[in-house]
Amino acid sequence: MIKNIRLIFTCLLLEVTLGFVLGCSGNSSCPAPNSKEIFISTKGKGDVPIEDIFSEHRYIPLETRDDALLPGLTDIIRLLLNNERIYISDGKSVMRFNFDGRLDCKYSHEGEGAHEYMGLASFSVIDDGDVVFYGMLNRSIFNYTPDDHFVSRWQYKQWFIREIINLDDDLLLLQCMDNIKDSYRFHVVNRYTGEEVNAYWKLDNPDPCLMFMRDFYCRYDGKIIKSFYKSNNVYELSCDSAILRYTINIDNKIPPVDYWMRGGNDPVAHFERYRLQDDYIGHIPVFLESDRSILLRYDGGAKERQGYAFVDKATRESRAIVRFIFEDGFVHQPEYFFPLSDGWCAMLLYPEDIFKNTVFAQRFPGLDEESNPVLFLGKLR
C-alpha cells in the first residue's frame, strides 16, 4: 500500500541551530554549557583505508530469500544491533538477522487491524528484545515480544511523531515534527502504561522549510547522541533535556544563526540557494563517537561540499574522507553509514558496488547481482 511512509512527507520541520540547553523539564530552559567546537579542514581530503578508522571489522553476507530481500539503501529507514542480532527496516517490516547472516525473524504487521501499524516510520529495540514500532498513519506505538507476539498499543493523535528511541527498558523518547508553535520537540512516555512522563524543547520559531532527512542517533557512554538537520550541533538526549555536546565547524562555513529562517514565504527556493550557491556546510547528518574518536558525515548541499571526517578526540586532529578503501583495493563512498553503540557502525555494501572489484567480490562466495547486501560492521579506533 505504501512503498515508504517517509515519502509522504517531503518536509521534516526541524528547529534552527541553537547554542543552548533546551528544556531541563517542562517549560524551563537552562543556560548553555561552554561550546565544544570541533574544527575540521577539508584541505587534503582523500581516500582512507578502513584500518586507519576502525580497530576491528567484519563482513556479514545477509541471507537472500524471497521474504528477506532488502530494498535499495534509500529505502532502509533504520538498522540496529541488539544482543548480537541485526534489525533492519525497509519501511514495511523489520527483519532480524543473526550474526551468520541468516534471517531469524520478520516482524511484518502492516495493515488496518487493531494490532497493526499503518506506515512504519520508526522502530526501536529494547534490551530485553522487545521491538517497538511507530505507525505514522494511525499515530500509534506498538510493542511486540522477541518472538513476535503483540503486547500493547498506545495511540497519540495529538502529536505528529517522526521518531522513537528507547531511553531504557521503561521509557520511550518520541521526537515530534516541528511544525506547531509552542509544541514540544520531545515527549517521554512509559511504554508499559502509555502515559506521558515529560516533555521538553519548546518550539518558539518552528521552521517552515519543507525538507526531508533520514534520522540517525548513536549511543555512547550510556547517552543518546544525536545530530539534527539544518544544524551543526550535536546533542546528548535524556528524559528531561537536550544538552549541546559539540558544534562541528567544517572549514569555517557554518551558516549564520538566522540563516535557515531567511526563506520567508519561499523556503524551498532558499534551500536551493543553499544547495547551489551559498558556500555553507550546515548539516551533520550522521555522527558516531567512541572513547577515542569521532566519525561523522557532513553535508553542504552540493556534492563537492559533502564527505566524511574522522576526529581524534584527544588531539582534535581530523582527516576529511572522500572514500573508504576496503580490502583488495575496493574503494567505496557510501551515501551514509548507520551509527550503533559505543563506536560501532554498520554499512550496507550492495552487490552492484562490490562487483566493481572482482577480487574483493571473491570474498563472498555465492554473491550475485540479485543478492542481499553484505553488512560491514566496524568499531572506531
Side-chain angles (χ1 to χ4, degrees), residues 162-332:
R162 54 169 290 184
E163 190 71 33
I164 57 173
I165 306 166
N166 62 296
L167 290 163
D168 53 33
D169 288 345
D170 299 332
L171 300 180
L172 299 175
L173 182 66
L174 315 181
Q175 180 185 342
C176 295
M177 297 182 185
D178 301 354
N179 58 337
I180 302 176
K181 183 177 174 59
D182 294 331
S183 65
Y184 290 98
R185 173 175 279 181
F186 292 108
H187 296 267
V188 180
V189 300
N190 186 301
R191 76 177 176 109
Y192 293 109
T193 66
E195 295 179 355
E196 181 181 15
V197 176
N198 195 20
Y200 63 91
W201 195 322
K202 195 171 187 178
L203 300 173
D204 296 323
N205 297 297
D207 183 355
C209 185
L210 306 181
M211 202 49 58
F212 160 77
M213 176 188 173
R214 180 178 281 100
D215 268 312
F216 297 96
Y217 67 89
C218 71
R219 297 181 188 270
Y220 168 67
D221 193 28
K223 305 177 179 68
I224 295 175
I225 311 297
K226 184 168 176 52
S227 55
F228 293 91
Y229 194 59
K230 296 197 299 185
S231 174
N232 293 73
N233 291 343
V234 178
Y235 292 91
E236 300 173 15
L237 304 182
S238 69
C239 65
D240 58 12
S241 63
I243 300 175
L244 179 67
R245 186 171 181 86
Y246 302 110
T247 297
I248 310 300
N249 182 351
I250 311 291
D251 290 334
N252 287 321
K253 293 182 178 180
I254 296 179
V257 173
D258 65 342
Y259 179 79
W260 295 109
M261 301 306 295
R262 296 178 184 177
N265 295 325
D266 197 353
V268 175
H270 182 66
F271 183 82
E272 282 299 290
R273 175 179 172 177
Y274 163 80
R275 189 175 68 86
L276 300 174
Q277 300 178 33
D278 292 346
D279 194 26
Y280 294 126
I281 297 176
H283 312 302
I284 309 299
V286 193
F287 181 92
L288 176 67
E289 183 170 1
S290 70
D291 289 341
R292 296 174 53 189
S293 59
I294 289 169
L295 179 66
L296 60 89
R297 178 169 175 80
Y298 61 86
D299 186 350
K303 190 171 182 60
E304 62 270 17
R305 295 193 298 276
Q306 299 174 358
Y308 291 88
F310 179 74
V311 180
D312 185 302
K313 288 170 63 174
T315 65
R316 294 300 177 96
E317 293 181 355
S318 63
R319 299 177 70 175
I321 302 168
V322 178
R323 299 179 299 177
F324 295 92
I325 306 174
F326 298 80
E327 287 86 354
D328 305 315
F330 172 58
V331 181
H332 182 53

Side-chain angles (χ1 to χ4, degrees), residues 58-69:
R58 65 187 297 180
Y59 299 96
I60 303 175
L62 299 176
E63 180 180 15
T64 300
R65 56 191 234 198
D66 289 344
D67 61 342
L69 289 177

Side-chain angles (χ1 to χ4, degrees), residues 11-74:
C11 137
L12 298 177
L13 303 161
L14 298 175
E15 182 66 304
V16 294
T17 299
L18 301 175
F20 47 84
V21 179
L22 294 132
C24 288
S25 62
N27 292 319
S28 64
S29 60
C30 303
N34 293 328
S35 175
K36 297 182 178 181
E37 182 174 284
I38 296 176
F39 178 79
I40 297 169
S41 172
T42 62
K43 291 182 179 179
K45 65 181 179 180
D47 301 339
V48 175
I50 57 171
E51 291 82 4
D52 291 1
I53 306 299
F54 302 104
S55 60
E56 58 180 290
H57 68 277
R58 65 187 297 180
Y59 299 96
I60 303 175
L62 299 176
E63 180 180 15
T64 300
R65 56 191 234 198
D66 289 344
D67 61 342
L69 289 177
L70 292 173
L73 189 61
T74 57

Side-chain angles (χ1 to χ4, degrees), residues 1 78 81 92 146 150 181 227 310 322-323 345 355 360:
M1 178 180 66
R78 175 165 288 176
L81 227 58
K92 292 184 178 181
F150 173 80
K181 183 177 174 59
S227 55
F310 179 74
V322 178
R323 299 179 299 177
C345 76
F355 280 113
F360 183 69

